[in-house]
PDB file of all heavy atoms in Angstrom:
ATOM      1  N   SER L  12      66.809  46.993 -21.056  1.00 99.00           N
ATOM      2  CA  SER L  12      67.745  47.617 -21.999  1.00 99.00           C
ATOM      3  C   SER L  12      67.396  47.187 -23.420  1.00 99.00           C
ATOM      4  O   SER L  12      66.424  46.456 -23.633  1.00 99.00           O
ATOM      5  CB  SER L  12      69.185  47.173 -21.681  1.00 99.00           C
ATOM      6  OG  SER L  12      69.377  45.812 -22.069  1.00 99.00           O
ATOM      7  N   ASP L  13      68.203  47.630 -24.368  1.00 98.00           N
ATOM      8  CA  ASP L  13      68.230  46.987 -25.679  1.00 98.00           C
ATOM      9  C   ASP L  13      69.578  46.275 -25.778  1.00 98.00           C
ATOM     10  O   ASP L  13      70.275  46.115 -24.763  1.00 98.00           O
ATOM     11  CB  ASP L  13      67.970  48.007 -26.811  1.00 98.00           C
ATOM     12  CG  ASP L  13      69.106  49.008 -26.984  1.00 98.00           C
ATOM     13  OD1 ASP L  13      70.086  48.960 -26.195  1.00 98.00           O
ATOM     14  OD2 ASP L  13      69.043  49.836 -27.902  1.00 98.00           O
ATOM     15  N   HIS L  14      69.972  45.871 -26.991  1.00 98.00           N
ATOM     16  CA  HIS L  14      71.243  45.152 -27.124  1.00 98.00           C
ATOM     17  C   HIS L  14      72.434  46.006 -26.713  1.00 98.00           C
ATOM     18  O   HIS L  14      73.385  45.515 -26.110  1.00 98.00           O
ATOM     19  CB  HIS L  14      71.423  44.648 -28.570  1.00 98.00           C
ATOM     20  CG  HIS L  14      71.311  45.745 -29.594  1.00 98.00           C
ATOM     21  ND1 HIS L  14      70.111  46.342 -29.899  1.00 98.00           N
ATOM     22  CD2 HIS L  14      72.251  46.359 -30.348  1.00 98.00           C
ATOM     23  CE1 HIS L  14      70.312  47.276 -30.819  1.00 98.00           C
ATOM     24  NE2 HIS L  14      71.612  47.312 -31.097  1.00 98.00           N
ATOM     25  N   ALA L  15      72.364  47.327 -27.012  1.00 98.00           N
ATOM     26  CA  ALA L  15      73.496  48.207 -26.716  1.00 98.00           C
ATOM     27  C   ALA L  15      73.701  48.378 -25.207  1.00 98.00           C
ATOM     28  O   ALA L  15      74.817  48.626 -24.743  1.00 98.00           O
ATOM     29  CB  ALA L  15      73.287  49.565 -27.373  1.00 98.00           C
ATOM     30  N   GLY L  16      72.619  48.226 -24.460  1.00 98.00           N
ATOM     31  CA  GLY L  16      72.720  48.407 -23.013  1.00 98.00           C
ATOM     32  C   GLY L  16      72.803  47.102 -22.247  1.00 98.00           C
ATOM     33  O   GLY L  16      72.952  47.110 -21.015  1.00 98.00           O
ATOM     34  N   PHE L  17      72.731  45.994 -22.971  1.00 98.00           N
ATOM     35  CA  PHE L  17      72.612  44.695 -22.293  1.00 98.00           C
ATOM     36  C   PHE L  17      73.743  44.408 -21.297  1.00 98.00           C
ATOM     37  O   PHE L  17      73.494  44.032 -20.145  1.00 98.00           O
ATOM     38  CB  PHE L  17      72.522  43.568 -23.330  1.00 98.00           C
ATOM     39  CG  PHE L  17      72.524  42.207 -22.697  1.00 98.00           C
ATOM     40  CD1 PHE L  17      71.392  41.714 -22.052  1.00 98.00           C
ATOM     41  CD2 PHE L  17      73.673  41.416 -22.703  1.00 98.00           C
ATOM     42  CE1 PHE L  17      71.403  40.468 -21.438  1.00 98.00           C
ATOM     43  CE2 PHE L  17      73.690  40.172 -22.091  1.00 98.00           C
ATOM     44  CZ  PHE L  17      72.551  39.689 -21.452  1.00 98.00           C
ATOM     45  N   GLU L  18      74.980  44.582 -21.761  1.00 98.00           N
ATOM     46  CA  GLU L  18      76.129  44.233 -20.888  1.00 98.00           C
ATOM     47  C   GLU L  18      76.131  45.051 -19.597  1.00 98.00           C
ATOM     48  O   GLU L  18      76.320  44.507 -18.509  1.00 98.00           O
ATOM     49  CB  GLU L  18      77.428  44.515 -21.642  1.00 98.00           C
ATOM     50  CG  GLU L  18      78.303  43.286 -21.759  1.00 98.00           C
ATOM     51  CD  GLU L  18      79.581  43.604 -22.490  1.00 98.00           C
ATOM     52  OE1 GLU L  18      80.464  44.235 -21.880  1.00 98.00           O
ATOM     53  OE2 GLU L  18      79.670  43.248 -23.685  1.00 98.00           O
ATOM     54  N   LEU L  19      75.908  46.356 -19.744  1.00 98.00           N
ATOM     55  CA  LEU L  19      75.890  47.205 -18.545  1.00 98.00           C
ATOM     56  C   LEU L  19      74.668  46.877 -17.682  1.00 98.00           C
ATOM     57  O   LEU L  19      74.732  46.943 -16.449  1.00 98.00           O
ATOM     58  CB  LEU L  19      75.929  48.688 -18.938  1.00 98.00           C
ATOM     59  CG  LEU L  19      76.121  49.702 -17.808  1.00 98.00           C
ATOM     60  CD1 LEU L  19      77.374  49.414 -16.977  1.00 98.00           C
ATOM     61  CD2 LEU L  19      76.187  51.139 -18.347  1.00 98.00           C
ATOM     62  N   LYS L  20      73.564  46.526 -18.321  1.00 99.00           N
ATOM     63  CA  LYS L  20      72.379  46.115 -17.542  1.00 99.00           C
ATOM     64  C   LYS L  20      72.733  44.967 -16.598  1.00 99.00           C
ATOM     65  O   LYS L  20      72.376  44.986 -15.421  1.00 99.00           O
ATOM     66  CB  LYS L  20      71.229  45.688 -18.460  1.00 99.00           C
ATOM     67  CG  LYS L  20      70.059  45.014 -17.699  1.00 99.00           C
ATOM     68  CD  LYS L  20      68.819  44.813 -18.548  1.00 99.00           C
ATOM     69  CE  LYS L  20      68.894  43.686 -19.532  1.00 99.00           C
ATOM     70  NZ  LYS L  20      68.924  42.328 -18.929  1.00 99.00           N
ATOM     71  N   GLU L  21      73.419  43.973 -17.124  1.00 98.00           N
ATOM     72  CA  GLU L  21      73.759  42.810 -16.298  1.00 98.00           C
ATOM     73  C   GLU L  21      74.626  43.237 -15.106  1.00 98.00           C
ATOM     74  O   GLU L  21      74.449  42.762 -13.985  1.00 98.00           O
ATOM     75  CB  GLU L  21      74.508  41.768 -17.135  1.00 98.00           C
ATOM     76  CG  GLU L  21      73.683  41.226 -18.300  1.00 98.00           C
ATOM     77  CD  GLU L  21      72.424  40.489 -17.841  1.00 98.00           C
ATOM     78  OE1 GLU L  21      72.564  39.411 -17.257  1.00 98.00           O
ATOM     79  OE2 GLU L  21      71.308  40.994 -18.072  1.00 98.00           O
ATOM     80  N   LYS L  22      75.553  44.154 -15.356  1.00 98.00           N
ATOM     81  CA  LYS L  22      76.450  44.608 -14.282  1.00 98.00           C
ATOM     82  C   LYS L  22      75.692  45.431 -13.242  1.00 98.00           C
ATOM     83  O   LYS L  22      75.924  45.291 -12.041  1.00 98.00           O
ATOM     84  CB  LYS L  22      77.610  45.401 -14.863  1.00 98.00           C
ATOM     85  CG  LYS L  22      78.567  44.449 -15.568  1.00 98.00           C
ATOM     86  CD  LYS L  22      79.642  45.124 -16.352  1.00 98.00           C
ATOM     87  CE  LYS L  22      80.508  44.012 -16.987  1.00 98.00           C
ATOM     88  NZ  LYS L  22      81.154  44.423 -18.212  1.00 98.00           N
ATOM     89  N   LEU L  23      74.788  46.279 -13.721  1.00 98.00           N
ATOM     90  CA  LEU L  23      74.040  47.119 -12.765  1.00 98.00           C
ATOM     91  C   LEU L  23      73.028  46.291 -11.983  1.00 98.00           C
ATOM     92  O   LEU L  23      72.736  46.586 -10.811  1.00 98.00           O
ATOM     93  CB  LEU L  23      73.359  48.284 -13.485  1.00 98.00           C
ATOM     94  CG  LEU L  23      74.315  49.297 -14.129  1.00 98.00           C
ATOM     95  CD1 LEU L  23      73.551  50.520 -14.606  1.00 98.00           C
ATOM     96  CD2 LEU L  23      75.449  49.718 -13.196  1.00 98.00           C
TER      97      LEU L  23
END
Side-chain angles (χ1 to χ4, degrees):
S12 73
D13 68 357
H14 55 288
F17 175 75
E18 238 181 75
L19 189 55
K20 170 170 76 68
E21 298 298 291
K22 287 171 180 153
L23 295 190

